[in-house]
Amino acid sequence: MEVKINPSWKRELAAEFAKDYFKKLAHFIHQEYQQKKVYPAPENIFRAFDLCPFDQVKVVILGQDPYHETQQAQGLAFSVKSGIQNPPSLVNIYQELKNDLGVEVNNNGDLSSWAQQGVLLLNATLTVVAKQAGSHQHQGWEEFTDQVIQILSARKDNLVFILWGAYARSKKELIDSSRHLILQAPHPSPLSAYRGFFGSRPFSQTNQYLREQGQKEIAWDK
């Protein structure tokens, strides 16, 4: 199966696409899309990579699973299609952004502009069956995205990895902290946002680090 993904990522991940586990994963996903309602749309499975080429990555925000309600998932972690009501976690992300940088963000939940500035919005699992959270976990996606994290850690310098929640924080061991900045906080979901997500100031810390490395800051309010 030929994977349709940004050429820069295709080069970096060529060996991964050739492995047996990925071939089995691709077959499984193909079957699932034929038999069930699966999100995101097939052309958006690798959208996070397409909007944020390998050589442009500056920040990685790690999610766990795509949204599984109708019309929400668009291939970017925490992001929803324009015009769709913002899920509670995204509402809290925007609230922390306002508290951190003092910027007003409109209610458009499409985070494509972040991706286009170098923010890789990466879910650990890239697909999900409608209304069945976690339904495509443990099929091979995690092995693939773990490798993405390790490749970024090993082949790039001075990235910011933003890890929200226990699952994302468990990926810390994949990252070389001597080469990259790792920001950790509780998940922005309503269940945990008040346990330390609010007040964690990830956006200003990211921009301060990028400035110190001579890189352009992220315009988070776009």
Side-chain angles (χ1 to χ4, degrees):
M1 182 196 77
E2 182 181 359
V3 177
K4 296 181 179 179
I5 193 171
N6 180 277
S8 68
W9 282 106
K10 197 164 189 175
R11 288 192 299 271
E12 298 295 331
L13 297 169
E16 215 62 25
F17 295 139
K19 291 180 180 178
D20 285 343
Y21 89 86
F22 192 88
K23 294 176 182 178
K24 292 177 182 177
L25 169 64
H27 178 73
F28 168 78
I29 296 301
H30 180 71
Q31 296 281 86
E32 290 286 280
Y33 272 96
Q34 286 189 323
Q35 299 170 5
K36 303 173 184 177
K37 182 65 175 177
V38 177
Y39 299 126
E43 64 270 18
N44 288 334
I45 293 175
F46 295 106
R47 188 161 179 260
F49 301 89
D50 293 334
L51 292 184
C52 186
F54 180 82
D55 57 349
Q56 296 179 25
V57 177
K58 296 192 285 189
V59 182
V60 181
I61 297 180
L62 185 63
Q64 185 168 0
D65 218 27
Y67 295 124
H68 58 269
E69 296 296 335
T70 304
Q71 296 297 311
Q72 287 184 323
Q74 57 157 203
L76 305 175
F78 296 106
S79 179
V80 293
K81 294 180 180 179
S82 180
I84 301 298
Q85 183 176 356
N86 293 344
S89 291
L90 185 55
V91 170
N92 288 338
I93 289 170
Y94 279 167
Q95 183 61 52
E96 176 60 16
L97 177 57
K98 180 180 178 180
N99 294 343
D100 187 3
L101 296 179
V103 296
E104 292 285 350
V105 181
N106 62 34
N107 289 323
N108 180 6
D110 184 353
L111 303 179
S112 297
S113 65
W114 291 8
Q116 291 163 341
Q117 295 179 74
V119 181
L120 182 66
L121 295 159
L122 179 66
N123 277 317
T125 302
L126 299 186
T127 55
V128 68
V129 176
K131 301 186 183 302
Q132 296 182 34
S135 47
H136 282 177
Q137 292 177 2
H138 312 302
Q139 296 293 338
W141 277 133
E142 295 93 338
E143 186 172 347
F144 173 72
T145 52
D146 279 1
Q147 190 63 27
V148 170
I149 294 168
Q150 289 178 293
I151 286 172
L152 285 166
S153 176
R155 300 181 189 173
K156 295 182 73 73
D157 291 301
N158 305 320
L159 299 181
V160 181
F161 288 87
I162 299 177
L163 310 179
W164 290 330
Y167 181 83
R169 292 201 301 270
S170 73
K171 305 297 183 179
K172 182 180 179 181
E173 65 186 32
L174 304 175
I175 305 164
D176 184 348
S177 60
S178 71
R179 298 174 64 170
H180 308 285
L181 175 65
I182 302 174
L183 300 177
Q184 304 179 77
H187 197 277
S189 76
L191 295 174
S192 55
Y194 287 95
R195 299 175 188 165
F197 173 76
F198 289 131
S200 60
R201 305 193 67 188
F203 308 104
S204 61
Q205 289 190 74
T206 294
N207 279 353
Q208 179 181 343
Y209 182 79
L210 292 176
R211 282 197 307 273
E212 291 171 351
Q213 305 305 322
Q215 298 190 63
K216 187 177 180 180
E217 300 176 27
I218 306 298
W220 298 104
D221 56 339
K222 289 187 176 180

